[in-house]
Amino acid sequence: MAQKLTTRIKRYRAIYLMALPGIIYFILFRFLPVWGNLFAFVDYSPMKGIWGSPWVGWKHFDRLFNHSDLFMLLKNTFVISFSRILIGFPVPILLSLFLNDVANQSLKKRIQSVIYLPHFLSWAVAANILLIILSPHGLLNAFLETLGREPVNFLIEQDYFLFILNGQSIWKEAGWGTVIYLAALSGIDPQLYEAANIDGASSWQKIKYITLPGIKGTILILLILRIGRLINENFEQIYLLMNPLNREAAEVFETYVFRIGIQGGEFSYTTAVGIFKSIVAITMVASSNHLIKRMGERGIY
Amino acid sequence: MKKAVGFLLISIFAWCALGAEGQKDVSAEREVYNVKWVNGVWGSEVDPNEYLAEEVAKHFNIDLNMEFLPQKELNKKYSVLVASGDLPEVLTYIRRDANFVNWVLDGVFYDLTDLFGDYPNLVAEISMETINISTKVQGRIYGLPITKENVYHGLGIRKDWLDHFGLDTPETLDDIFEYAMKVTFEDPDGNGQDDTYGFGLSDSLYTAFAIFRPTFQEAGVQGTSWKVEGKELEYNFLKPGMTDFVAFLRKCYEAGLVDPASLTVRDNENVRSFNNGKYGLINQNLETFAATKKNLIENLPDSRPVPMVIPPVRAGYPLRMSRSGGWFRMVTMTAAVKETDEAREIMGLFDWMLGDGYEFLSFGKEGVHWEGRNAAGIPQLTEAWFATPPLGENWVNLWLMLRRSSPEFIARPEVRGTEDDVELQKNIALVAEYSTLSPPFVESPIDPILTDRRQRAEERALTGVMQIIIGERPLADLKVLQEEFWQEARGALEAENESLK
């Protein structure tokens, strides 16, 4: 077996060589830091190091599970995450279907350029653009005033937070999200559409019976990957939109870890929060993978 | 002749070689300590290393390297520094908080107890009373507290707008309200747009109310921090004066005098809006206001920003605008200092900075930043000083606070400004009633779980206050908030109180 592996490596050395930087990356930045999880079980003292710090067992987990904010953090994380799946996930699919049906190639490319552009802006720039639009002196309030309505301070209202967050995500990322779907769409056999045309299928029927089944696998795999990232919600975006008046609706694990762990210097406690977060994420990925396999589709493992 | 020249050359080479050897011996005897000193600053900072490091090297075996980090990032940066073990030799720490005490217990900071008494300038300038309540942990000294005794807090106001409206300088909160109404609704900049406001708040709960905080100090409201009254810690949020404070801000917000956009912007935006001629008021200490004033006049040459006395919350109340410990930092030496000799050298540096080096820090280098002295012996500043303060504004400003304020020293030279300004500042100082020594604010140095509970309660309470101010909750809810706060945080408050006795 060992010899076979050596032979394989020799034969496919170019491919192994190409994989090497990725493997090194994962070892350095993904596997080695796993040891850092030990922080959660000690009262980490920088001067004593991890081995010199006193072992405290589940103390930090106890603190997390008894924290009055745990429910708020879980609720916000799940609400924000699922809203992103429900609202944000379908948009690139719909956009791709729309783009796929645009016959004028020049127009299609122009639309793609415009919708890809926001992806390349940083969240800080995106937040400032949002401020220009939604602040009490912003464009939207100017428009409302022309209609005789009172200005609304959208950015401090908890009720608007979810809509603002999802709207901003869609604006920034939906265009870029079409890339994979468009690639998947291009892999569908054109003869199927020709046959459907001959049979007199409508546009909707073609989407329903050819296009969607054709990209179903891609959609499901992206969905599983998305679920895996669910709980790692975009820190920067939320942090930039969060303020004291909307914090009850905005605070998620990521921002909490940043505030308490980095700003407060409580490394052990926030490592425990991080572990808890990871366990929830793994459970969600495994469950959705299992569910998708039971639906007869291929999972990610 | 050739022999003579040869002899001369040999002699020169020999002398040079001996000289070099001699120099080598001297430097070998003097170990030079590399000292990195990390500070937090607001805004940009002039690098003081060019002058300061050179001057320090003349007096000490120290190669000083000052580093500046943004004040807002300081907590994070220090946490990372400590966690990584990559400590600088000297840290200007922000306040006594749970991190400070925990890090002391972890051995992050150097114990200064046995050294402190050997440095006469430090002993003379730094009050042991302040040390006892700020930088001592378990009876040992871990930092040199910087408390500013002469913080002349005032409101910055637009005199040109007061004149424009025919108003006198406000003396009561009602006068302030009237002025803010006119600024908001009578287009003082004459641009035909509804874009001016009385003042702004901020998106930070802890600084949102800063604009009028000094006004309410005499009512016991000083933001969210603890204050030691006698031997008890009192929490300002629970004091009755808070109602006056919240009611006034609510009234202003209801009347539209507060820029609603200020609730979602980061710190310093208020200053920017004032500098752009959009706000009628700003609350700053007078030294900081000098910079604001300069910027506003640069932007709008016809403007006339002046400092004014903050009105009392009720007529006849005394003002306590100047509080020792109102500004608090501490200079700490860290465990990166391994040898006692090095620690002594650094303590010597601190001592020099408050003694012989003090003039250098204040006025810069003779011949560059000042030339000659006036009759009182005060160095006369050159244009170079005003063009670029030699050692950086923020840092020197901070450091000079370490020295107890003398009656002569109202502000740094550049801030003294015109004679009018000096007079005004003196007047402001005169109306203030100075408490002898009130301690710096302290945060809980105890179990973080208790601190969590108290902080959480505090955040909820302050969010509620903000909601009351912007009209989302009735004013009567303040009582409810105070009760909820007490219920939620009571255990933590009592435990903190006990721990600090």
Side-chain angles (χ1 to χ4, degrees):
Chain A
M1 184 67 189
Q3 202 174 8
K4 271 176 86 178
L5 180 65
T6 324
T7 316
R8 281 212 309 266
I9 290 174
K10 269 187 185 169
R11 184 183 295 169
Y12 301 113
R13 59 185 176 278
I15 293 170
Y16 277 102
L17 210 60
M18 278 193 279
L20 194 62
I23 292 168
I24 292 171
Y25 167 81
F26 275 99
I27 290 172
L28 283 181
F29 297 108
R30 289 287 183 265
F31 290 107
L32 289 181
V34 168
W35 290 108
N37 284 333
L38 282 175
F39 274 46
F41 301 97
V42 297
D43 263 341
Y44 177 66
S45 157
M47 303 313 289
K48 293 174 190 157
I50 197 158
W51 302 114
S53 302
W55 183 264
V56 294
W58 298 100
K59 176 184 153 185
H60 298 298
F61 291 92
D62 279 347
R63 178 179 165 192
L64 171 66
F65 295 131
N66 289 312
H67 200 292
S68 60
D69 280 347
L70 181 66
F71 177 71
M72 180 193 79
L73 291 173
L74 273 171
K75 186 199 81 183
N76 287 346
T77 305
F78 280 113
V79 167
I80 289 173
S81 304
F82 281 111
S83 75
R84 285 190 186 214
I85 288 207
L86 288 176
I87 303 167
F89 187 74
V91 176
I93 301 170
L94 297 174
L95 257 178
S96 311
L97 296 176
F98 161 73
L99 285 172
N100 199 41
D101 271 1
V102 175
N104 184 334
Q105 288 303 307
S106 166
L107 178 66
K108 183 179 172 181
K109 282 181 182 167
R110 280 165 209 268
I111 295 172
Q112 280 178 292
S113 301
V114 170
I115 62 175
Y116 288 174
L117 200 64
H119 171 76
F120 298 100
L121 300 175
S122 73
W123 282 112
V125 173
N128 274 315
I129 292 172
L130 203 70
L131 205 66
I132 292 167
I133 298 169
L134 296 181
S135 86
H137 315 310
L139 300 175
L140 187 55
N141 272 312
F143 175 68
L144 287 176
E145 280 183 55
T146 60
L147 300 177
R149 307 282 291 272
E150 282 292 305
V152 181
N153 204 341
F154 294 101
L155 296 168
I156 62 171
E157 299 279 346
Q158 290 185 19
D159 297 343
Y160 293 117
F161 181 75
L162 211 55
F163 297 103
I164 292 170
L165 194 77
N166 281 304
Q168 192 189 36
S169 296
I170 289 170
W171 170 75
K172 191 169 178 303
E173 297 299 341
W176 187 248
T178 60
V179 173
I180 293 175
Y181 294 114
L182 286 172
L185 285 170
S186 66
I188 298 172
D189 189 349
Q191 289 183 33
L192 294 172
Y193 291 108
E194 286 164 17
N197 286 336
I198 291 166
D199 289 345
S202 66
S203 294
W204 168 241
Q205 285 170 322
K206 279 188 275 182
I207 289 172
K208 188 176 174 187
Y209 296 109
I210 301 172
T211 312
L212 284 177
I215 60 170
K216 192 173 147 195
T218 309
I219 292 174
L220 289 173
I221 284 178
L222 287 178
L223 183 64
I224 298 173
L225 292 174
R226 184 72 184 259
I227 289 170
R229 290 205 316 268
L230 255 188
I231 212 156
N232 291 319
E233 275 315 328
N234 198 319
F235 163 76
E236 262 182 284
Q237 186 194 9
I238 296 175
Y239 189 72
L240 289 165
L241 290 179
M242 193 164 75
N243 58 57
L245 289 165
N246 66 17
R247 182 167 285 146
E248 288 285 328
E251 185 99 284
V252 291
F253 280 111
E254 300 270 288
T255 52
Y256 181 74
V257 165
F258 177 75
R259 283 202 309 127
I260 306 297
I262 306 297
Q263 292 184 320
E266 292 195 44
F267 304 106
S268 292
Y269 173 58
T270 44
T271 306
V273 177
I275 290 175
F276 173 69
K277 197 186 77 172
S278 303
I279 289 169
V280 175
I282 289 168
T283 312
M284 286 170 70
V285 173
S287 314
S288 44
N289 194 51
H290 179 70
L291 201 69
I292 283 163
K293 277 183 169 174
R294 291 212 32 197
M295 286 162 64
E297 295 294 329
R298 288 175 61 192
I300 51 169
Y301 59 88
Chain B
M1 182 63 186
K2 279 184 181 173
K3 277 184 182 173
V5 171
F7 180 74
L8 186 68
L9 282 172
I10 287 167
S11 304
I12 291 169
F13 286 137
W15 182 79
C16 289
L18 280 172
E21 192 63 28
Q23 273 186 334
K24 200 175 166 185
D25 280 343
V26 170
S27 62
E29 280 170 18
R30 295 182 54 183
E31 187 180 350
V32 174
Y33 300 107
N34 292 310
V35 173
K36 192 201 276 187
W37 184 341
V38 177
N39 293 273
V41 288
W42 297 106
S44 57
E45 179 61 35
V46 175
D47 180 3
N49 288 314
E50 184 187 351
Y51 297 106
L52 185 61
E54 184 187 310
E55 190 69 16
V56 167
K58 285 183 197 165
H59 303 276
F60 301 94
N61 300 333
I62 287 177
D63 182 6
L64 185 65
N65 176 24
M66 307 292 297
E67 277 196 11
F68 296 96
L69 300 173
Q71 194 76 37
K72 284 171 75 177
E73 304 289 314
L74 221 51
N75 267 336
K76 279 176 270 172
K77 301 282 184 190
Y78 283 1
S79 292
V80 173
L81 280 177
V82 170
S84 67
D86 184 22
L87 291 168
E89 282 73 15
V90 181
L91 270 181
T92 305
Y93 200 79
I94 312 150
R95 58 189 168 186
R96 181 196 175 102
D97 55 12
N99 272 354
F100 173 72
V101 178
N102 288 333
W103 289 349
V104 164
L105 299 176
D106 285 345
V108 171
F109 298 113
Y110 198 96
D111 185 344
L112 308 177
T113 319
D114 298 333
L115 303 177
F116 181 74
D118 298 342
Y119 298 89
N121 294 318
L122 296 182
V123 172
E125 301 293 346
I126 300 173
S127 140
M128 189 51 80
E129 207 178 343
T130 311
I131 287 178
N132 285 341
I133 55 167
S134 59
T135 63
K136 257 192 186 176
V137 177
Q138 295 180 344
R140 312 290 294 176
I141 303 171
Y142 290 95
L144 306 175
I146 301 173
T147 57
K148 185 159 186 171
E149 294 184 15
N150 284 355
V151 180
Y152 299 131
H153 255 278
L155 284 174
I157 194 165
R158 292 282 299 266
K159 183 74 171 69
D160 50 322
W161 286 357
L162 283 171
D163 293 344
H164 173 73
F165 296 127
L167 297 173
D168 292 328
T169 304
E171 290 182 356
T172 64
L173 283 182
D174 289 339
D175 294 344
I176 291 266
F177 188 84
E178 187 189 355
Y179 165 74
M181 283 289 278
K182 288 188 181 293
V183 168
T184 307
F185 299 111
E186 294 187 18
D187 193 19
D189 58 358
N191 67 355
Q193 290 178 20
D194 179 18
D195 59 354
T196 47
Y197 287 92
F199 55 93
L201 298 176
S202 144
D203 80 329
S204 161
L205 286 174
Y206 297 93
T207 56
F209 319 119
I211 177 103
F212 287 111
R213 196 161 61 194
T215 306
F216 293 89
Q217 277 176 11
E218 77 276 21
V221 181
Q222 297 177 346
T224 58
S225 306
W226 288 107
K227 195 161 78 88
V228 179
E229 294 284 351
K231 288 186 176 177
E232 292 292 315
L233 285 169
E234 292 202 355
Y235 202 77
N236 296 312
F237 180 65
L238 299 172
K239 291 195 165 185
M242 192 73 187
T243 315
D244 294 333
F245 183 63
V246 175
F248 176 72
L249 288 181
R250 181 185 167 95
K251 181 179 154 192
C252 291
Y253 195 89
E254 267 177 0
L257 314 184
V258 180
D259 180 3
S262 67
L263 296 172
T264 49
V265 292
R266 305 285 173 198
D267 296 337
N268 294 332
E269 283 293 326
N270 288 338
V271 179
R272 196 176 301 169
S273 295
F274 185 81
N275 283 342
N276 289 334
K278 297 302 170 197
Y279 287 177
L281 287 165
I282 191 82
N283 165 241
Q284 286 182 319
N285 78 61
L286 296 184
E287 290 191 15
T288 316
F289 180 67
T292 304
K293 180 178 168 175
K294 192 174 144 195
N295 289 332
L296 177 61
I297 292 172
E298 269 173 21
N299 287 343
L300 304 165
D302 292 336
S303 63
R304 205 175 149 218
V306 292
M308 59 167 271
V309 178
I310 299 176
V313 66
R314 286 176 193 157
Y317 269 52
L319 278 175
R320 287 194 301 178
M321 291 185 296
S322 171
R323 287 179 299 111
S324 163
W327 276 44
F328 180 72
R329 298 285 185 275
M330 62 175 107
V331 178
T332 61
M333 218 187 294
T334 73
V337 177
K338 303 285 182 204
E339 301 168 22
T340 313
D341 286 349
E342 185 180 3
R344 287 197 171 279
E345 199 72 4
I346 295 172
M347 286 295 274
L349 168 65
F350 296 155
D351 194 65
W352 172 81
M353 291 170 98
L354 290 181
D356 293 343
Y358 194 76
E359 184 176 89
F360 176 80
L361 294 174
S362 306
F363 300 104
K365 192 172 180 179
E366 187 178 6
V368 178
H369 303 110
W370 61 276
E371 274 172 5
R373 294 172 186 272
N374 67 10
I378 296 172
Q380 298 301 289
L381 301 176
T382 63
E383 287 299 317
W385 202 106
F386 292 96
T388 312
L391 304 175
E393 294 187 36
N394 293 305
W395 179 77
V396 169
N397 188 22
L398 183 69
W399 181 258
L400 295 184
M401 290 177 213
L402 195 54
R403 195 177 207 188
R404 285 183 182 177
S405 306
S406 67
E408 298 301 316
F409 187 82
I410 290 179
R412 289 175 295 130
E414 69 152 359
V415 180
R416 286 179 182 159
T418 64
E419 287 302 315
D420 285 350
D421 289 341
V422 174
E423 205 52 42
L424 204 46
Q425 289 177 34
K426 276 183 183 167
N427 290 339
I428 288 171
L430 286 174
V431 296
E433 177 191 281
Y434 302 110
S435 51
T436 49
L437 181 87
S438 61
F441 297 151
V442 286
E443 280 209 354
S444 169
I446 57 165
D447 191 329
I449 296 176
L450 291 178
T451 308
D452 259 4
R453 205 184 310 155
R454 194 260 296 166
Q455 281 181 346
R456 185 71 200 118
E458 187 175 285
E459 271 183 11
R460 278 191 224 280
L462 288 177
T463 302
V465 166
M466 194 68 115
Q467 287 166 337
I468 292 173
I469 290 171
I470 65 172
E472 284 187 359
R473 299 179 69 164
L475 184 59
D477 268 11
L478 184 64
K479 202 80 187 154
V480 178
L481 285 174
Q482 285 171 324
E483 278 165 17
E484 282 175 358
F485 173 81
W486 181 239
Q487 289 304 320
E488 191 172 351
R490 183 177 180 174
L493 299 178
E494 286 172 348
E496 287 180 2
N497 208 352
E498 275 305 306
S499 76
L500 289 171
K501 277 182 182 172

